[in-house]
Amino acid sequence: MRSKLFVPCSRPELFPKALASAADSLSFDLEDAVQEGRKQEARAAIGAFLRGLSPDEVTKTLIVRSNALDSGHFEADLDAIICPALHIVNLPKPESADDILAATEVLQRFETERGITTPIGLLANIETPTALANASAIAKASPRVVGLQVGLGDLFEDLGIDRTDTLAVHHVQFALRMAAGTAGIWAYDGAYAAIANPDGYRAEAEAARRLGFLGKTCIHPSQIAIANEVFRPSDKEIAHALRVVAAADQAEKDGVGAYTVDGQMIDPPFSRRARQIVKAAKELGLA
């Protein structure tokens, strides 16, 4: 899920175009992208679209960002969207493990009513100071939580923090990655609003990748190619990882605990990382 394209649920004419795009996943938005007076119309549109898809034919990860738990729209949102084609609900503004458990209860109820046996995941947005402080607890609250996502717009704007301050961005990214790591789930980078600044988008994406993020949100189709490029293993990484895996397999046969590859000492953490890179490369058809 290197790239996740944002799609307003109030614009159903964009749904087929998004499905045909090069994005690895789509995030249909019922929250900030939809005016209050159009919420019902938007949820009806995305619900009809999702129910019209055959899960076996969908090659992208399909996500819907609902409205927040306390918005008055959450249950209606889930009632509209819970169906076999949906993979993940993106929950905005959870602030505690209790919020995750409350969302999970509603999600489970609709799944049970509709006979859905494959659990739908939760992607939790970390976009308030309280949520950042509780990020580890949010990550570990339920097995349904598949990842944490950075929400810098909401987090920074209300606090008067400059969105272009790379040190502040790095701090939040690092804290989020560590919190996700406590639960063994992935971290996902958020939106970059300056569409006309592809270099800025790339730089932020590269910083996130160095921290082990899975991918980055795209709020415009022009950002998809950048995200796909940044979050794929490079040819050099793949080649090194293949050599590490081969050496690790041989070392296991020989009963050797640590060894060198390309002049670098390798032990279990490095070999595990190499296997992850090889797996990702194979999924992308690169190895």
Side-chain angles (χ1 to χ4, degrees), residues 132-178:
L132 187 60
N134 293 335
S136 180
I138 290 170
K140 295 186 287 187
S142 167
R144 284 186 186 269
V145 181
V146 295
L148 301 180
Q149 178 170 276
V150 174
L152 293 178
D154 285 271
L155 180 60
F156 281 6
E157 291 303 318
D158 288 343
L159 298 175
I161 298 173
D162 185 347
R163 179 63 179 79
T164 65
D165 186 326
T166 56
L167 290 178
V169 173
H170 182 273
H171 173 80
V172 174
Q173 289 175 330
F174 183 81
L176 198 82
R177 184 68 187 95
M178 291 296 104

Side-chain angles (χ1 to χ4, degrees), residues 94-100 124-126 130-132 134-142 145 147-148 183 185:
E95 297 214 313
S96 66
D98 287 343
D99 286 346
I100 297 298
N125 280 11
I126 304 301
T130 301
L132 187 60
N134 293 335
S136 180
I138 290 170
K140 295 186 287 187
S142 167
V145 181
L148 301 180
I185 61 176

